[in-house]
Each structure stands twice: as structure tokens, then as C-alpha cells.
Amino acid sequence: ADPKQAHDVVLIAPQLKPMFDGAQHQALLISPYFVPGEKGVTYLSALAKRGVTVKVLTNALASTDEPEVHAGYSRYRIPLLEAGVELFELRPIPGRPPSDAHGTSSGESLHAKSMIIDGRMVFVGSMNLDPRSRTINTEMGVVVDCPELAAVLSKYFDSATAPENAFHVVLQKPDGSSSAKPVLRWIAVDKGKPVMFEHDPETSEWKRMKISLMRVLPIEGML
């Protein structure tokens, strides 16, 4: 074997692009750590603009075990929502305290990574949709054309994003004003009743303040 070829790096993200380029109807993304960056926002916005329903499931601040990554993700919520991308954030498992872990699995976070295109093409692997997974980490995964597997994963996505299990992040005009700038809201169901939050749910003011501070740090390429 050619020693040079043995050391060639094959990145997963470019291998997935043709699958997304071919999307016609729907793209479901499950990524515990989701930091799309400006290019990712532009790409997903373009998919939504041409009529593809784009839905993303990631961890809520209350359930993530990597607050720094959530800080990187949070700056892109508004532009994604403005473009028509739907965002869902997995809620903490009831009965377990919110995690303050850094780099360790809390047992309550989302860990699955998969993508389903048009109910047919499926990616399952280790790669999150973040800069570290795209360019730094060693990742692996498979792409298959399998409607049966796509159906199973789509059913999981629907269950995981149900209002009992995830917060649906939306943009709303505050106080019903038609002129004010839209703000983020988190919609869910608790004990059978609809609820809405005006900030990252089930988190302390101190934790939200730390995320705000992390958001301005120039660390996105390492997330």
C-alpha cells in the first residue's frame, strides 16, 4: 500500500453533503452537540428555502454535559429559526437533577447521532454537527439507503421531540406586539398542560449567565 495514502485523512462531513444536497422533502438531524457555524446556517437555510422541512434535535442547556458547546449553539438559534429550521431541545429526564458536568456523561443527555433524509437515506455514526467533529476528532459512520431503518429512526425522532420529552424552540413577538423584535420561547407540556418559558428552561440564572459569557469567547473552532 502507498504509505502516503495510508495517512490520508478522509473527513465524514464532505461525504454526507451529497445526501443533503439530494434532499427533496425532509431532513431530520439528531446531534447532541450542534454548532452549525455561519456556513451551516447558510446551508440549512437554503434547504428550508427550497421547501425541505429541516428539523434538528439537540440537547437543552438543562440536559447537556458540555455547556461550552451549548454556548456555541445558542448564538445560531435565532438565525436558524428565522430561516424556517425547526429546533427541538431534549429535556432532562424527570427525577434527575440538572447536570453541571463538564465533559462527562450525565446519563440524562442525548447521545444518539443520526440523520434521516426523505424517509430513505440514513446516516448513523459518531459524528456530531460541530466544528470539532468535522475537522478534529476521529469519527466513523455509515450511510445507507434503507426506508425501513429510516422509518424506525423517524419514529424515534417524533417520540423524542414530543412536547413531553423536548422543548420546541420558537420565535414569538413579545406581549403580542407586532412591531417588537421576535424573541426566543420554549414550548413544552408538563403534566398534560402546555407550558412556555422565556429563557432556557430548568436552569439557574447563574448557569445562563455563564453561557452568555462563554458565547463571546473565540472558541467555536474547538467546540
Short mmCIF file of all heavy atoms in Angstrom, two decimals, residues 166-208:
data_model
loop_
_atom_site.label_atom_id
_atom_site.label_comp_id
_atom_site.label_asym_id
_atom_site.label_seq_id
_atom_site.Cartn_x
_atom_site.Cartn_y
_atom_site.Cartn_z
N ALA A 166 -39.28 17.06 24.87
CA ALA A 166 -38.37 18.08 24.34
C ALA A 166 -39.04 19.45 24.35
O ALA A 166 -40.27 19.57 24.28
CB ALA A 166 -37.94 17.73 22.91
N PHE A 167 -38.20 20.46 24.45
CA PHE A 167 -38.68 21.83 24.30
C PHE A 167 -38.66 22.19 22.81
O PHE A 167 -37.64 21.99 22.14
CB PHE A 167 -37.79 22.82 25.05
CG PHE A 167 -37.64 22.52 26.52
CD1 PHE A 167 -36.41 22.09 27.03
CD2 PHE A 167 -38.71 22.65 27.39
CE1 PHE A 167 -36.26 21.82 28.38
CE2 PHE A 167 -38.57 22.38 28.75
CZ PHE A 167 -37.35 21.96 29.24
N HIS A 168 -39.77 22.72 22.32
CA HIS A 168 -39.81 23.23 20.95
C HIS A 168 -39.43 24.70 21.02
O HIS A 168 -40.14 25.51 21.63
CB HIS A 168 -41.21 23.05 20.38
CG HIS A 168 -41.30 23.39 18.92
ND1 HIS A 168 -42.49 23.52 18.24
CD2 HIS A 168 -40.33 23.63 17.99
CE1 HIS A 168 -42.27 23.80 16.98
NE2 HIS A 168 -40.97 23.88 16.80
N VAL A 169 -38.30 25.05 20.43
CA VAL A 169 -37.82 26.43 20.48
C VAL A 169 -38.43 27.20 19.31
O VAL A 169 -38.35 26.78 18.16
CB VAL A 169 -36.28 26.47 20.39
CG1 VAL A 169 -35.78 27.89 20.64
CG2 VAL A 169 -35.65 25.51 21.39
N VAL A 170 -39.05 28.33 19.63
CA VAL A 170 -39.74 29.12 18.61
C VAL A 170 -39.41 30.59 18.79
O VAL A 170 -38.87 31.01 19.82
CB VAL A 170 -41.27 28.92 18.68
CG1 VAL A 170 -41.64 27.46 18.45
CG2 VAL A 170 -41.82 29.41 20.01
N LEU A 171 -39.76 31.38 17.79
CA LEU A 171 -39.66 32.84 17.87
C LEU A 171 -41.07 33.41 18.00
O LEU A 171 -41.96 33.03 17.25
CB LEU A 171 -38.99 33.41 16.62
CG LEU A 171 -37.47 33.26 16.51
CD1 LEU A 171 -37.00 33.81 15.17
CD2 LEU A 171 -36.75 33.97 17.65
N GLN A 172 -41.24 34.32 18.96
CA GLN A 172 -42.54 34.96 19.14
C GLN A 172 -42.36 36.45 19.37
O GLN A 172 -41.34 36.89 19.92
CB GLN A 172 -43.30 34.36 20.31
CG GLN A 172 -43.83 32.96 20.08
CD GLN A 172 -44.73 32.50 21.20
OE1 GLN A 172 -44.95 33.21 22.18
NE2 GLN A 172 -45.28 31.30 21.06
N LYS A 173 -43.36 37.22 18.97
CA LYS A 173 -43.39 38.63 19.30
C LYS A 173 -43.72 38.79 20.78
O LYS A 173 -44.69 38.21 21.26
CB LYS A 173 -44.44 39.36 18.46
CG LYS A 173 -44.18 39.33 16.95
CD LYS A 173 -43.10 40.30 16.56
CE LYS A 173 -42.99 40.40 15.05
NZ LYS A 173 -41.96 41.37 14.62
N PRO A 174 -42.93 39.57 21.53
CA PRO A 174 -43.22 39.72 22.96
C PRO A 174 -44.52 40.48 23.20
O PRO A 174 -44.81 41.47 22.51
CB PRO A 174 -42.02 40.52 23.48
CG PRO A 174 -41.48 41.22 22.28
CD PRO A 174 -41.76 40.33 21.11
N ASP A 175 -45.31 39.98 24.14
CA ASP A 175 -46.54 40.65 24.56
C ASP A 175 -47.49 40.91 23.40
O ASP A 175 -48.25 41.89 23.40
CB ASP A 175 -46.21 41.98 25.26
CG ASP A 175 -45.32 41.79 26.47
OD1 ASP A 175 -45.51 40.79 27.18
OD2 ASP A 175 -44.44 42.62 26.69
N GLY A 176 -47.43 40.07 22.39
CA GLY A 176 -48.33 40.23 21.26
C GLY A 176 -48.06 41.43 20.39
O GLY A 176 -48.87 41.77 19.52
N SER A 177 -46.93 42.09 20.58
CA SER A 177 -46.61 43.27 19.80
C SER A 177 -46.24 42.88 18.37
O SER A 177 -45.52 41.91 18.15
CB SER A 177 -45.45 44.03 20.43
OG SER A 177 -44.99 45.06 19.58
N SER A 178 -46.74 43.63 17.40
CA SER A 178 -46.44 43.35 16.00
C SER A 178 -45.17 44.03 15.53
O SER A 178 -44.63 43.68 14.48
CB SER A 178 -47.62 43.78 15.12
OG SER A 178 -47.86 45.17 15.26
N SER A 179 -44.69 45.01 16.29
CA SER A 179 -43.52 45.79 15.86
C SER A 179 -42.24 45.38 16.57
O SER A 179 -41.15 45.64 16.07
CB SER A 179 -43.77 47.28 16.08
OG SER A 179 -44.04 47.56 17.44
N ALA A 180 -42.36 44.76 17.74
CA ALA A 180 -41.17 44.39 18.52
C ALA A 180 -40.42 43.25 17.84
O ALA A 180 -40.99 42.46 17.07
CB ALA A 180 -41.57 43.98 19.93
N LYS A 181 -39.13 43.16 18.12
CA LYS A 181 -38.30 42.10 17.57
C LYS A 181 -38.68 40.76 18.20
O LYS A 181 -38.86 40.66 19.42
CB LYS A 181 -36.83 42.41 17.85
CG LYS A 181 -35.85 41.48 17.18
CD LYS A 181 -34.42 41.93 17.44
CE LYS A 181 -33.42 41.01 16.75
NZ LYS A 181 -32.02 41.45 16.99
N PRO A 182 -38.81 39.69 17.41
CA PRO A 182 -39.16 38.38 17.97
C PRO A 182 -38.12 37.90 18.97
O PRO A 182 -36.93 38.18 18.84
CB PRO A 182 -39.20 37.47 16.73
CG PRO A 182 -39.42 38.38 15.58
CD PRO A 182 -38.70 39.66 15.94
N VAL A 183 -38.59 37.18 19.96
CA VAL A 183 -37.71 36.65 21.00
C VAL A 183 -37.90 35.14 21.10
O VAL A 183 -38.90 34.59 20.64
CB VAL A 183 -38.00 37.31 22.37
CG1 VAL A 183 -37.61 38.78 22.34
CG2 VAL A 183 -39.47 37.15 22.74
N LEU A 184 -36.93 34.48 21.71
CA LEU A 184 -36.99 33.03 21.86
C LEU A 184 -37.99 32.64 22.94
O LEU A 184 -38.07 33.26 24.00
CB LEU A 184 -35.61 32.49 22.23
CG LEU A 184 -34.53 32.54 21.14
CD1 LEU A 184 -33.17 32.19 21.74
CD2 LEU A 184 -34.87 31.59 20.00
N ARG A 185 -38.70 31.55 22.66
CA ARG A 185 -39.59 30.94 23.64
C ARG A 185 -39.44 29.43 23.55
O ARG A 185 -39.14 28.88 22.49
CB ARG A 185 -41.05 31.33 23.37
CG ARG A 185 -41.34 32.83 23.57
CD ARG A 185 -41.31 33.19 25.04
NE ARG A 185 -41.68 34.58 25.27
CZ ARG A 185 -40.80 35.56 25.46
NH1 ARG A 185 -39.51 35.31 25.42
NH2 ARG A 185 -41.22 36.80 25.70
N TRP A 186 -39.62 28.75 24.67
CA TRP A 186 -39.52 27.30 24.74
C TRP A 186 -40.88 26.74 25.10
O TRP A 186 -41.43 27.07 26.16
CB TRP A 186 -38.48 26.88 25.78
CG TRP A 186 -37.06 27.14 25.39
CD1 TRP A 186 -36.14 26.22 24.97
CD2 TRP A 186 -36.37 28.40 25.41
NE1 TRP A 186 -34.94 26.82 24.72
CE2 TRP A 186 -35.03 28.16 24.97
CE3 TRP A 186 -36.73 29.71 25.74
CZ2 TRP A 186 -34.08 29.17 24.86
CZ3 TRP A 186 -35.79 30.72 25.63
CH2 TRP A 186 -34.48 30.45 25.19
N ILE A 187 -41.44 25.89 24.25
CA ILE A 187 -42.79 25.36 24.45
C ILE A 187 -42.71 23.87 24.75
O ILE A 187 -41.96 23.12 24.11
CB ILE A 187 -43.65 25.61 23.19
CG1 ILE A 187 -43.79 27.11 22.95
CG2 ILE A 187 -45.02 24.95 23.34
CD1 ILE A 187 -44.50 27.45 21.65
N ALA A 188 -43.49 23.44 25.75
CA ALA A 188 -43.49 22.03 26.13
C ALA A 188 -44.83 21.71 26.79
O ALA A 188 -45.75 22.54 26.80
CB ALA A 188 -42.33 21.73 27.08
N VAL A 189 -44.92 20.50 27.33
CA VAL A 189 -46.10 20.07 28.08
C VAL A 189 -45.63 19.50 29.41
O VAL A 189 -44.72 18.66 29.44
CB VAL A 189 -46.91 19.02 27.29
CG1 VAL A 189 -47.94 18.36 28.19
CG2 VAL A 189 -47.59 19.65 26.09
N ASP A 190 -46.22 19.94 30.49
CA ASP A 190 -45.94 19.41 31.82
C ASP A 190 -47.24 18.93 32.45
O ASP A 190 -48.21 19.71 32.54
CB ASP A 190 -45.30 20.47 32.71
CG ASP A 190 -43.79 20.53 32.55
OD1 ASP A 190 -43.20 19.51 32.18
OD2 ASP A 190 -43.21 21.61 32.79
N LYS A 191 -47.28 17.67 32.84
CA LYS A 191 -48.46 17.09 33.47
C LYS A 191 -49.72 17.31 32.63
O LYS A 191 -50.79 17.63 33.14
CB LYS A 191 -48.64 17.65 34.88
CG LYS A 191 -47.47 17.34 35.80
CD LYS A 191 -47.65 17.95 37.18
CE LYS A 191 -46.47 17.61 38.08
NZ LYS A 191 -46.60 18.23 39.42
N GLY A 192 -49.53 17.19 31.32
CA GLY A 192 -50.66 17.30 30.41
C GLY A 192 -51.06 18.72 30.06
O GLY A 192 -51.99 18.92 29.28
N LYS A 193 -50.38 19.71 30.61
CA LYS A 193 -50.74 21.10 30.35
C LYS A 193 -49.62 21.81 29.58
O LYS A 193 -48.43 21.62 29.88
CB LYS A 193 -50.99 21.85 31.66
CG LYS A 193 -52.18 21.31 32.44
CD LYS A 193 -52.41 22.12 33.71
CE LYS A 193 -53.62 21.60 34.48
NZ LYS A 193 -53.84 22.40 35.72
N PRO A 194 -49.96 22.61 28.58
CA PRO A 194 -48.93 23.34 27.83
C PRO A 194 -48.25 24.38 28.70
O PRO A 194 -48.89 25.05 29.51
CB PRO A 194 -49.72 23.99 26.69
CG PRO A 194 -51.13 24.06 27.17
CD PRO A 194 -51.32 22.87 28.07
N VAL A 195 -46.94 24.50 28.53
CA VAL A 195 -46.16 25.49 29.27
C VAL A 195 -45.24 26.22 28.30
O VAL A 195 -44.88 25.68 27.24
CB VAL A 195 -45.33 24.86 30.41
CG1 VAL A 195 -46.23 24.31 31.50
CG2 VAL A 195 -44.44 23.76 29.86
N MET A 196 -44.86 27.44 28.65
CA MET A 196 -43.94 28.20 27.82
C MET A 196 -42.95 28.92 28.73
O MET A 196 -43.30 29.45 29.78
CB MET A 196 -44.69 29.22 26.96
CG MET A 196 -43.79 29.99 25.99
SD MET A 196 -44.73 31.05 24.85
CE MET A 196 -45.37 32.28 25.99
N PHE A 197 -41.68 28.91 28.30
CA PHE A 197 -40.61 29.52 29.09
C PHE A 197 -39.98 30.67 28.30
O PHE A 197 -39.91 30.63 27.07
CB PHE A 197 -39.53 28.48 29.42
CG PHE A 197 -40.05 27.30 30.18
CD1 PHE A 197 -40.54 26.19 29.49
CD2 PHE A 197 -40.04 27.28 31.55
CE1 PHE A 197 -41.02 25.08 30.18
CE2 PHE A 197 -40.52 26.18 32.26
CZ PHE A 197 -41.00 25.08 31.57
N GLU A 198 -39.51 31.68 29.02
CA GLU A 198 -38.92 32.85 28.38
C GLU A 198 -37.39 32.81 28.40
O GLU A 198 -36.75 33.75 27.94
CB GLU A 198 -39.42 34.13 29.07
CG GLU A 198 -40.93 34.31 28.92
CD GLU A 198 -41.42 35.62 29.52
OE1 GLU A 198 -40.59 36.34 30.13
OE2 GLU A 198 -42.62 35.92 29.37
N HIS A 199 -36.82 31.75 28.96
CA HIS A 199 -35.37 31.54 28.93
C HIS A 199 -35.11 30.04 28.97
O HIS A 199 -36.05 29.25 29.12
CB HIS A 199 -34.68 32.26 30.10
CG HIS A 199 -35.26 31.92 31.45
ND1 HIS A 199 -35.20 30.66 32.00
CD2 HIS A 199 -35.95 32.68 32.34
CE1 HIS A 199 -35.79 30.65 33.18
NE2 HIS A 199 -36.27 31.87 33.41
N ASP A 200 -33.86 29.65 28.82
CA ASP A 200 -33.54 28.21 28.83
C ASP A 200 -34.16 27.55 30.06
O ASP A 200 -33.79 27.88 31.19
CB ASP A 200 -32.02 28.02 28.85
CG ASP A 200 -31.38 28.35 27.51
OD1 ASP A 200 -31.40 27.50 26.62
OD2 ASP A 200 -30.87 29.48 27.37
N PRO A 201 -35.11 26.63 29.86
CA PRO A 201 -35.87 26.08 30.98
C PRO A 201 -35.02 25.23 31.93
O PRO A 201 -34.01 24.64 31.54
CB PRO A 201 -36.93 25.21 30.28
CG PRO A 201 -36.97 25.70 28.88
CD PRO A 201 -35.58 26.15 28.56
N GLU A 202 -35.48 25.19 33.17
CA GLU A 202 -34.92 24.32 34.20
C GLU A 202 -33.43 24.58 34.43
O GLU A 202 -32.65 23.65 34.67
CB GLU A 202 -35.18 22.85 33.84
CG GLU A 202 -36.65 22.53 33.68
CD GLU A 202 -36.92 21.09 33.30
OE1 GLU A 202 -36.10 20.21 33.68
OE2 GLU A 202 -37.93 20.83 32.63
N THR A 203 -33.03 25.84 34.32
CA THR A 203 -31.63 26.23 34.56
C THR A 203 -31.60 27.42 35.50
O THR A 203 -32.55 28.20 35.57
CB THR A 203 -30.92 26.61 33.25
OG1 THR A 203 -31.62 27.70 32.64
CG2 THR A 203 -30.87 25.44 32.28
N SER A 204 -30.48 27.55 36.20
CA SER A 204 -30.34 28.66 37.12
C SER A 204 -29.90 29.93 36.39
O SER A 204 -29.35 29.88 35.29
CB SER A 204 -29.29 28.33 38.20
OG SER A 204 -28.01 28.20 37.60
N GLU A 205 -30.16 31.06 37.03
CA GLU A 205 -29.72 32.34 36.44
C GLU A 205 -28.20 32.36 36.30
O GLU A 205 -27.66 32.90 35.33
CB GLU A 205 -30.20 33.49 37.32
CG GLU A 205 -29.88 34.87 36.73
CD GLU A 205 -30.46 35.99 37.57
OE1 GLU A 205 -31.17 35.71 38.56
OE2 GLU A 205 -30.18 37.17 37.24
N TRP A 206 -27.49 31.76 37.26
CA TRP A 206 -26.03 31.72 37.21
C TRP A 206 -25.55 30.91 36.00
O TRP A 206 -24.62 31.33 35.30
CB TRP A 206 -25.48 31.13 38.51
CG TRP A 206 -24.02 30.78 38.48
CD1 TRP A 206 -23.46 29.56 38.69
CD2 TRP A 206 -22.93 31.68 38.25
NE1 TRP A 206 -22.11 29.62 38.59
CE2 TRP A 206 -21.73 30.91 38.32
CE3 TRP A 206 -22.84 33.04 37.98
CZ2 TRP A 206 -20.48 31.47 38.14
CZ3 TRP A 206 -21.58 33.61 37.81
CH2 TRP A 206 -20.42 32.83 37.88
N LYS A 207 -26.19 29.79 35.74
CA LYS A 207 -25.78 28.97 34.61
C LYS A 207 -26.04 29.69 33.29
O LYS A 207 -25.21 29.66 32.38
CB LYS A 207 -26.53 27.64 34.64
CG LYS A 207 -26.01 26.62 33.61
CD LYS A 207 -26.60 25.25 33.87
CE LYS A 207 -25.94 24.19 33.00
NZ LYS A 207 -26.44 22.83 33.28
N ARG A 208 -27.16 30.38 33.21
CA ARG A 208 -27.46 31.12 31.99
C ARG A 208 -26.48 32.28 31.79
O ARG A 208 -26.10 32.60 30.66
CB ARG A 208 -28.90 31.63 32.02
CG ARG A 208 -29.94 30.51 32.03
CD ARG A 208 -31.33 31.03 31.74
NE ARG A 208 -31.80 31.97 32.74
CZ ARG A 208 -32.42 31.63 33.86
NH1 ARG A 208 -32.64 30.35 34.14
NH2 ARG A 208 -32.84 32.55 34.71
#
